[in-house]
């Protein structure tokens, strides 16, 4: 992982030194419009690359889109020495990494994340995948990118909602790993790139540190799932709802409120810690309204979570601000209590 002013120059050096038979750039319509010109201006080695474009948004993370890209690569006679450069946020790096993992049993890929979510989370760690039948990341593979190059000025292309989307994962990193990061995020002005830069660097380093210790999520890496069991369920539910679809970070923010509440209810953290966690999350992220009648569907979606075992919910919960524990068994009634608690908060 290379971050900072030298990131794009480092990418150029990798291209010059590499033995790639062909290079392709995968991006969505937004990243190719707003970020590709700056990338090509700084990385001459990509100026002859062929571009592949997908529509922006989670709907592009499906097998049909992956198949379209595989067919395109095949028509271009891309061989096993080809390189796929993924220029985009989490959707592009998840989809592109999966495409690279499966095409001809694996070609090399490089991630150049353009969103805050991509820079601190999605592009780091080798998890790839697409959604299936409305369920998040159900088909995928571990496929480590050749490298990740983080060029922070790309963040200037983002609006407030997209910044908050990525900030949720940074908050999670603080809550499970680094209490000081969590404190610092609460005091940082989102609109100030200079103030955000060291926090992005620390958050990305936490993700890389955890992944290095447990690359295939057999133990420690599960701490990064805090907020995600309920969050993934709510995200998938929002795709079925007449309301707005939640962004991943928005769903995780709600999941963190609910799962911090579960941490308190299971006597793992004091009530004061729960209140300190919930208050800023509720202030920063718009409420998502759902009824008790939706709980059955939400539980059904959560049962497909990859962390579950033997049909039982396995949660990552907090033991303190800055510390978490994994594989905590939580029953359906307790999950429903957490959902009801959130409903009461947003009605207040």
């Amino acid at each position: 992982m290379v971050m900072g002013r030298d990131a794009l120059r480092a990418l150029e050096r990798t291209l010059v030194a590499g033995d790639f038979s062909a290079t392709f750039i995968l991006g969505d319509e937004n990243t190719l419009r707003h970020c590709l010109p700056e990338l090509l201006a700084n990385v001459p080695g990509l100026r002859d690359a062929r571009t592949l474009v997908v529509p922006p948004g989670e709907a592009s993370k499906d097998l049909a889109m992956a198949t379209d890209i595989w067919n395109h690569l095949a028509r271009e006679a891309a061989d096993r020495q080809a390189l796929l450069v993924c220029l985009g946020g989490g959707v592009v790096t998840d989809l592109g990494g999966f495409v690279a993992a499966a095409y001809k049993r694996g070609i090399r890929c490089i991630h150049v994340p353009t969103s805050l979510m991509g820079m601190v989370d999605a592009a780091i760690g080798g998890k790839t995948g697409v959604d299936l039948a409305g369920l998040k990341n159900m088909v995928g593979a571990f496929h480590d990118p050749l490298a990740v190059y983080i060029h922070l000025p790309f963040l200037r292309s983002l609006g407030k909602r997209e910044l908050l989307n990525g900030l949720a994962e940074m908050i999670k990193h603080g809550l499970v790993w680094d209490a000081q990061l969590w404190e610092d995020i609460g005091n940082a002005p989102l609109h100030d790139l200079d103030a955000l830069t060291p926090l992005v660097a620390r958050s990305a380093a936490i993700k890389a540190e955890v992944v290095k210790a447990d690359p295939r999520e057999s133990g420690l890496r599960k701490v990064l799932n805090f907020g995600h069991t309920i969050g993934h369920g709510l995200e998938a539910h929002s795709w079925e709802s007449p309301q707005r679809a939640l962004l991943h970070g928005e769903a995780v923010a709600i999941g963190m409120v609910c799962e911090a509440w579960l941490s308190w209810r299971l006597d793992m953290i004091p009530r004061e810690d729960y209140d300190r966690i919930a208050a800023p999350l509720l202030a920063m992220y718009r409420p998502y309204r759902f009824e008790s009648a939706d709980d059955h569907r939400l539980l059904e979606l959560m049962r497909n979570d990859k962390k579950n075992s033997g049909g039982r919910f396995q949660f990552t919960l907090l033991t303190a601000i800055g510390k978490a524990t994994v594989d905590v068994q939580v029953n359906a009634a307790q999950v429903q209590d957490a959902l009801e608690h959130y409903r009461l908060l947003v009605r207040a």
Side-chain angles (χ1 to χ4, degrees):
M1 181 178 72
V2 181
M3 178 184 294
R5 295 180 181 178
D6 193 45
L8 296 186
R9 287 193 292 271
L11 171 55
E12 174 68 13
R13 291 193 294 270
T14 296
L15 295 171
V16 170
D19 57 346
F20 311 113
S21 59
T23 305
F24 299 85
I25 300 172
L26 174 68
D28 67 29
E29 294 159 1
N30 292 329
T31 61
L32 293 185
R33 181 184 308 117
H34 297 296
C35 302
L36 182 61
E38 185 169 356
L39 180 69
L40 297 181
N42 287 279
V43 187
L46 287 176
R47 291 175 187 168
D48 292 329
R50 284 155 277 187
T51 56
L52 308 170
V53 60
V54 298
E58 189 75 21
S60 287
K61 267 181 60 174
D62 72 356
L63 284 169
M65 190 65 66
T67 300
D68 285 347
I69 299 169
W70 288 321
N71 283 329
H72 187 100
L73 292 172
R75 286 195 299 271
E76 294 281 351
D79 60 27
R80 294 190 73 182
Q81 302 309 311
L83 173 70
L84 182 65
V85 177
C86 303
L87 177 70
V91 168
V92 169
T93 57
D94 280 2
L95 172 65
F98 178 62
V99 164
Y103 183 74
K104 297 200 171 178
R105 297 193 179 96
I107 63 172
R108 288 167 290 182
C109 66
I110 283 173
H111 294 330
V112 184
T114 60
S115 72
L116 186 55
M117 174 70 73
M119 291 179 185
V120 301
D121 184 64
I124 303 167
K127 278 187 177 181
T128 77
V130 296
D131 305 329
L132 181 69
L135 298 171
K136 185 88 173 178
N137 297 331
M138 288 295 286
V139 179
F142 286 100
H143 186 64
D144 293 321
L146 185 63
V148 179
Y149 298 97
I150 299 175
H151 180 62
L152 286 158
F154 285 146
L155 293 179
R156 295 195 180 100
S157 68
L158 303 181
K160 183 178 179 181
R161 188 182 181 197
E162 283 292 343
L163 285 171
L164 285 171
N165 183 46
L167 193 73
E169 293 287 356
M170 294 174 63
I171 291 168
K172 178 204 72 181
H173 289 157
L175 288 172
V176 303
W177 202 258
D178 186 339
Q180 187 60 55
L181 174 63
W182 178 76
E183 293 276 1
D184 292 344
I185 289 169
N187 297 321
L190 260 184
H191 61 276
D192 185 344
L193 186 59
D194 289 335
L196 202 58
T197 294
L199 305 181
V200 174
R202 176 60 185 144
S203 187
I206 288 170
K207 176 71 183 282
E209 181 181 348
V210 174
V211 167
K212 183 177 179 181
D214 179 19
R216 294 298 181 263
E217 201 174 26
S218 58
L220 178 65
R221 187 170 175 173
K222 294 179 186 178
V223 300
L224 300 176
N225 290 318
F226 175 65
H228 283 62
T229 300
I230 288 177
H232 276 167
L234 287 165
E235 185 180 1
H237 178 266
S238 77
W239 302 339
E240 304 172 352
S241 167
Q243 290 193 69
R244 74 189 192 286
L246 291 169
L247 297 178
H248 176 69
E250 293 169 337
V252 168
I254 299 169
M256 287 191 288
V257 172
C258 294
E259 294 179 24
W261 186 85
L262 282 171
S263 302
W264 167 62
R265 291 292 289 170
L266 294 174
D267 295 321
M268 299 170 68
I269 61 172
R271 176 65 192 234
E272 306 83 69
D273 281 359
Y274 163 70
D275 290 337
R276 290 174 63 209
I277 293 164
L281 289 169
L282 292 166
M284 280 190 288
Y285 294 92
R286 289 174 57 192
Y288 178 70
R289 303 189 187 279
F290 57 97
E291 303 301 324
S292 57
D294 297 318
D295 286 359
H296 176 77
R297 177 58 178 155
L298 283 164
L299 288 167
E300 189 176 56
L301 291 166
M302 287 179 216
R303 289 190 198 283
N304 280 288
D305 193 282
K306 294 178 290 299
K307 300 176 294 296
N308 295 337
S309 177
R312 293 171 296 191
F313 293 117
Q314 303 261 75
F315 275 70
T316 294
L317 297 180
L318 301 179
T319 56
I321 293 176
K323 293 184 180 179
T325 189
V326 304
D327 295 336
V328 180
Q329 290 192 13
V330 177
N331 63 42
Q334 290 167 322
V335 175
Q336 285 183 281
D337 285 345
L339 295 172
E340 178 61 21
H341 174 71
Y342 177 77
R343 276 194 292 268
L344 292 172
L345 287 174
V346 299
R347 287 174 185 159

